[in-house]
Amino acid sequence: MKIPVDNAAAIGKVVRASRKVQKIRQDDAAGSIGVSENFLGKIERGSDAVQWGKLFQVLDGLGIRVWVDVPESVGAYLHDPANNKDRS
């Protein structure tokens, strides 16, 4: 199911719902994923100040996959070998 996400609170709701549906307590989920309970709580509350790497670790740990829906022109740019060189 696709859920629109336009802010941190929306991701937090998805993370919390995913954990609840799996009937996992917050402390158990945090421990099995490898993050602190405090960090998982910040995500679930929609904090804007979380580390990207850890956020994706939590999403993966709960089975949440993230896709970005971009315009066709962006997809074409990303797939053009001329644009895949390491430059800023």
Side-chain angles (χ1 to χ4, degrees), residues 6-85:
D6 59 359
N7 58 46
I11 291 175
K13 286 181 182 180
V14 170
V15 168
R16 180 175 166 80
S18 296
R19 179 180 59 77
K20 290 282 196 177
V21 165
Q22 295 177 56
K23 296 181 168 77
I24 307 171
R25 293 185 341 202
Q26 193 177 59
D27 59 337
D28 290 336
S32 68
I33 293 169
V35 297
S36 71
E37 185 178 354
N38 181 51
F39 181 79
L40 182 55
K42 282 183 179 181
I43 290 174
E44 290 187 4
R45 289 189 302 276
S47 173
D48 289 329
V50 297
Q51 296 174 16
W52 282 85
K54 284 188 176 184
L55 171 61
F56 280 99
Q57 182 178 343
V58 168
L59 296 175
D60 185 56
L62 292 172
I64 301 167
R65 301 294 172 253
V66 178
W67 297 87
V68 179
D69 187 12
V70 298
E72 291 293 325
S73 58
V74 174
Y77 179 90
L78 291 170
H79 287 99
D80 183 343
N83 297 321
N84 288 331
K85 296 179 180 155

